[in-house]
Amino acid sequence: MPRGLVMVAMVGIVTLAVTSGCALFEDEKTAKGRKLYRHYCMHCHGETGQQAEGFNWERMPDPRPRDLSETAAMSTFSDEEIFNTISRDMRDTALQEVLDDENYFAVSTMPTFKYTLSEEELWAIVSYVRTLHGGALEFDVEGRRAQLESEFQAAKAEHDQARTVMDEALAKQEAEESARAAAEEDAEDDDDEDVEDEDEDIEEDIEEDDEEEEILLPEEEAYERASEKFEAAQTAWENFSKRPKMSQIRRPDLTAGEERQKLGEEGKRLYYDTYGCNGCHSIGDSGGLVGPALDRAGFRLNDTWVYRWIRYPQGMKKHTRMPNLGINDHDARAVVAYLDTLRAPKPDKPIPPLE
Ligand code: HEC
Ligand code: HEC
């Protein structure tokens, strides 16, 4: 092949690779992000980020997913902004204050992945999203890893130190108390006659003890603070490389508590305005097609099962496409009460054609 042609071919391949986010020159992180994107994002955003490409796009309520391949618009977002969009807490988008919050992405039908994926995985996805519009991740992920690790180490050292100080303070207090008790005993030995009085004294002491609040030593308070900080740093560090894990969701008692109907109405609002369940599930003719239709959820599904499912889908099916949306106990009860009201009749069976 003449040299000129080889050059043209090479330029062609490079251009193709850059413009289509082709796997040819992808680094490991971006490749990982591509896989995750295909599993968790593609149904709404399309394989190359273009509109109307994902099978769910047409069915989405407004605003439908924007074009992630559009360089001009997408390059105005920083890496951190994209990260925050895919890793936020869901909030009630019917509230004006939420819509007005400039730092919050207030579209309920764009789910969060904060409770489903590790931080490293989220950055890998951002890295892949960048390639969809010919960009590249600039955020220093390794730096972030190092920062979280050193914060964790520092919090651990502080925590260990606070424990030593607290242990010493407690030992000192105990020694002082037993010295005082010994001294009192000596004094009592001196007058044996007051036995009756003494019994009364003891009873009074016990009553007082019951009422008295437990007073913590300042060293104990400092230790509690250090423990909290340590736990937070540990979780952040662990969530960097591991997916968030919850303990098994217990079976709730769904009969008790608030009035069922009121709870169901609240659940409906949460379903649409906070958690955007309608982005993936349909009721009647509207709503997404990523998950099963929920028209007949009230007939088909068991409340306790639904409660446990929506609070922690990954606990029941590890690789499900339904993300954990960070739903708390109260909200889950309300959504369950709403789903229980969905009792559409069975679709009519088609009339068999006449012979
Ligand atoms: C249920 C459908 C759905 C899924 C799944 C989904 N998105 Fe979205 N996404 C939306 C909607 C709706 C919007 C809001 C309209 C818009 O701005 O694009 C959006 C917006 C965005 C935006 C634009 C944010 C901005 O500031 O305008 C980014 C980036 C994005 N999504 C990335 C992702 C990634 C990455 C994933 C997978 C981890 C994902 N989305 C999964 C529906 C979805
Ligand atoms: C990003 C899309 C997505 C979002 C958002 C979403 N789901 Fe799902 N959901 C799914 C998928 C996919 C399944 C099928 C699960 C599987 O088998 O892996 C599912 C399954 C379910 C099921 C079981 C249905 C059945 O017939 O077995 C229920 C109930 C459910 N989701 C309720 C909800 C509720 C309530 C919300 C909002 C709080 C919600 N989902 C948000 C995608 C989603």
Side-chain angles (χ1 to χ4, degrees), residues 275 277 280-281 290-292 300-301 309 317 320 322-323 327 335:
Y275 299 107
C277 315
C280 289
H281 292 279
V290 183
R300 284 198 302 114
L301 305 170
W309 170 259
K317 192 171 174 187
T320 178
M322 174 157 156
I327 305 184
V335 171

Side-chain angles (χ1 to χ4, degrees), residues 115-162:
Y115 301 97
T116 308
L117 301 174
S118 70
E119 185 173 336
E120 200 173 22
E121 287 176 318
L122 294 167
W123 283 117
I125 292 176
V126 177
S127 172
Y128 179 67
V129 167
R130 280 295 183 219
T131 66
L132 296 176
H133 45 271
L137 185 80
E138 280 168 18
F139 185 83
D140 178 9
V141 179
E142 284 314 304
R144 169 77 176 157
R145 180 205 297 275
Q147 178 204 344
L148 286 173
E149 184 175 11
S150 76
E151 278 170 10
F152 162 67
Q153 297 295 1
K156 184 173 185 320
E158 213 176 287
H159 165 267
D160 293 351
Q161 169 71 15

Side-chain angles (χ1 to χ4, degrees), residues 308-347:
R308 298 176 73 206
W309 170 259
I310 62 179
R311 286 210 61 200
Y312 190 21
Q314 284 65 32
M316 293 167 90
K317 192 171 174 187
K318 200 169 172 208
H319 294 291
T320 178
R321 285 184 160 80
M322 174 157 156
N324 180 347
L325 297 165
I327 305 184
N328 64 24
D329 171 65
H330 173 82
D331 287 4
R333 283 169 192 273
V335 171
V336 166
Y338 170 57
L339 294 189
D340 192 42
T341 65
L342 302 175
R343 292 166 183 254
K346 260 209 176 102

Side-chain angles (χ1 to χ4, degrees), residues 80-254:
E80 287 91 335
E81 279 170 324
I82 297 178
F83 180 92
N84 288 339
T85 298
I86 64 178
S87 173
R88 68 203 197 284
D89 280 309
M90 303 307 285
R91 290 169 66 187
D92 184 352
T93 57
L95 295 178
Q96 197 56 42
E97 69 187 65
V98 173
L99 295 172
D100 289 345
D101 185 345
E102 278 174 28
N103 298 316
Y104 186 72
F105 188 73
V107 179
S108 65
T109 49
M110 165 63 205
T112 183
F113 294 87
K114 175 178 179 176
Y115 301 97
T116 308
L117 301 174
S118 70
E119 185 173 336
E120 200 173 22
E121 287 176 318
L122 294 167
W123 283 117
I125 292 176
V126 177
S127 172
Y128 179 67
V129 167
R130 280 295 183 219
T131 66
L132 296 176
H133 45 271
L137 185 80
E138 280 168 18
F139 185 83
D140 178 9
V141 179
E142 284 314 304
R144 169 77 176 157
R145 180 205 297 275
Q147 178 204 344
L148 286 173
E149 184 175 11
S150 76
E151 278 170 10
F152 162 67
Q153 297 295 1
K156 184 173 185 320
E158 213 176 287
H159 165 267
D160 293 351
Q161 169 71 15
R163 170 183 273 164
T164 311
V165 171
M166 175 184 73
D167 285 348
E168 281 167 9
L170 285 171
K172 195 173 151 217
Q173 187 189 39
E174 210 172 296
E176 279 168 8
E177 269 169 15
S178 49
R180 204 181 309 133
E184 276 169 20
E185 229 170 75
D186 282 352
E188 281 157 15
D189 285 347
D190 288 346
D191 53 0
D192 286 336
E193 285 151 40
D194 275 344
V195 178
E196 272 175 39
D197 277 0
E198 199 196 314
D199 277 350
E200 275 168 28
D201 279 354
I202 289 174
E203 266 169 39
E204 268 170 33
D205 274 355
I206 291 171
E207 273 170 28
E208 269 173 31
D209 272 354
D210 273 351
E211 280 164 24
E212 233 173 86
E213 251 184 79
E214 203 192 349
I215 296 167
L216 291 181
L217 294 176
E219 289 84 353
E220 287 177 292
E221 282 173 3
Y223 173 72
E224 268 181 21
R225 281 195 302 274
S227 293
E228 271 170 33
K229 205 171 140 194
F230 172 55
E231 262 170 45
Q234 188 173 30
T235 308
W237 166 233
E238 281 174 1
N239 283 358
F240 183 83
S241 48
K242 285 200 209 111
R243 294 186 177 184
K245 255 201 165 154
M246 290 168 76
S247 44
Q248 272 300 319
I249 300 293
R250 298 224 184 121
R251 283 170 200 288
D253 177 7
L254 294 170

